Amino acid sequence: MVTRAGGRPFYVQIADALREDIKAGRYQPGDQLPSERELRERWKVSQQVVRAALAELHAEGSVVSYQGRGSFVRRQLVPRRLSTDISTSFGWYTSLAHQGFKPAGATRVTEEPCPADAAEWLGIEEGVTVTCRDRTMGVEGEPPAMLATSYFPGWVIEGAPDLADATKGGMPELLRAGFGETYSEDVLTVRMPMLAEQQRLELEKGTPVQVIQGATYDAQHRPLHFIRVVAAGGRIEFAYRYGAVPGDS
């Protein structure tokens, strides 16, 4: 039963329940989910709420919907990183948990001179010492999906010291804890990998990579960090949602 306790929207609670049913195997890949009418009756909510819940699952890749046929469980072969997971929760780990994947990888934190691309985004001089958080990210039992390298000015580490701890995850939440609400900007491109990237990602020759560069800002529009993500072609999907998604009325 959905409840207003805790302030979580009804559609989020329904999406969570259906997601757990899928992860538990009550609905297998290819199975049809209950109709919108059945879901409305089960949860005692409006059609708008049910459709918002299904839209949430569709966006993260858990289900696929067909006009006049309904919604079906989608077989997710590679992890999908949803923009709302990055901005509102623990990012990578939340995305994987929603899709039933287990994370794998390693994090290394060093102090090093700021490279030119990071300095431009951070508004600091190239070569200034910054904290570098370098992560190899993937899913258990598979080759790495992406490399994510973040650069933090010293004053950001002072305000959120856990960012310099390689054992601490949840970078979006660590930034919010130290600096309040944040927003981010990304620029995407595709290119061939550099030799070091090819080796770390265990890529076959000729495989391109998706490159995402961006920064996260606080309410004063100060850049808190620059990130460079290099993702292996065919091993991860990036999904973005735009506009106001209708939810609970």
Side-chain angles (χ1 to χ4, degrees):
M1 177 179 293
V2 293
T3 174
R4 295 198 180 278
R8 298 175 69 244
F10 287 171
Y11 80 93
V12 173
Q13 297 177 53
I14 295 171
D16 286 347
L18 290 172
R19 189 185 298 112
E20 286 304 313
D21 284 343
I22 293 170
K23 288 170 63 176
R26 287 185 279 275
Y27 299 114
Q28 296 289 327
D31 285 352
Q32 184 171 6
L33 294 180
S35 67
E36 291 184 6
R37 179 182 59 79
E38 291 171 319
L39 292 173
R40 291 201 312 269
E41 293 175 354
R42 173 183 173 185
W43 298 103
K44 310 301 181 189
V45 295
S46 69
Q47 184 180 53
Q48 179 180 342
V49 172
V50 167
R51 287 185 173 177
L54 293 173
E56 190 80 5
L57 297 176
H58 184 275
E60 69 188 33
S62 297
V63 305
V64 59
S65 300
Y66 300 97
Q67 187 76 26
R69 291 179 54 200
S71 298
F72 297 79
V73 179
R74 177 176 183 264
R75 179 167 175 76
Q76 185 67 16
L77 300 177
V78 299
R80 173 179 291 189
R81 195 170 195 191
L82 188 60
S83 57
T84 50
D85 282 336
I86 300 171
S87 62
T88 62
S89 54
F90 283 95
W92 176 242
Y93 302 102
T94 300
S95 299
L96 293 185
H98 282 177
Q99 298 163 63
F101 292 109
K102 294 184 178 179
T107 301
R108 183 172 62 100
V109 177
T110 57
E111 300 289 319
E112 57 185 66
C114 188
D117 55 352
E120 181 178 340
W121 280 83
L122 293 173
I124 61 179
E125 292 293 327
E126 180 181 353
V128 171
T129 299
V130 292
T131 297
C132 174
R133 189 178 175 96
D134 182 79
R135 293 172 291 164
T136 303
M137 305 165 72
V139 299
E140 198 172 83
E142 299 292 338
M146 58 183 177
L147 311 173
T149 309
S150 297
Y151 299 89
F152 303 90
W155 65 271
V156 174
I157 297 299
E158 291 177 5
D162 283 347
L163 291 167
D165 186 341
T167 67
K168 299 288 180 67
M171 187 169 63
E173 186 159 280
L174 293 177
L175 285 172
R176 285 193 295 272
F179 301 97
E181 288 303 311
T182 64
Y183 69 94
S184 300
E185 296 177 354
D186 289 331
V187 175
L188 287 72
T189 189
V190 175
R191 59 168 170 78
M192 298 306 295
M194 300 177 188
L195 179 59
E197 295 166 346
Q198 179 184 335
Q199 292 173 340
R200 290 182 66 187
L201 290 170
E202 302 173 24
L203 293 174
E204 295 288 339
K205 288 185 178 180
T207 304
V209 290
Q210 171 81 65
V211 180
I212 304 173
Q213 295 188 96
T216 297
Y217 304 85
D218 65 8
Q220 301 175 55
H221 307 291
R222 298 179 300 177
L224 302 176
H225 87 121
F226 164 79
I227 187 168
R228 183 194 312 111
V229 175
V230 180
R235 293 186 192 163
I236 186 171
E237 299 173 343
F238 293 93
Y240 294 84
R241 302 185 80 181
Y242 300 91
V245 180
D248 296 353
S249 57

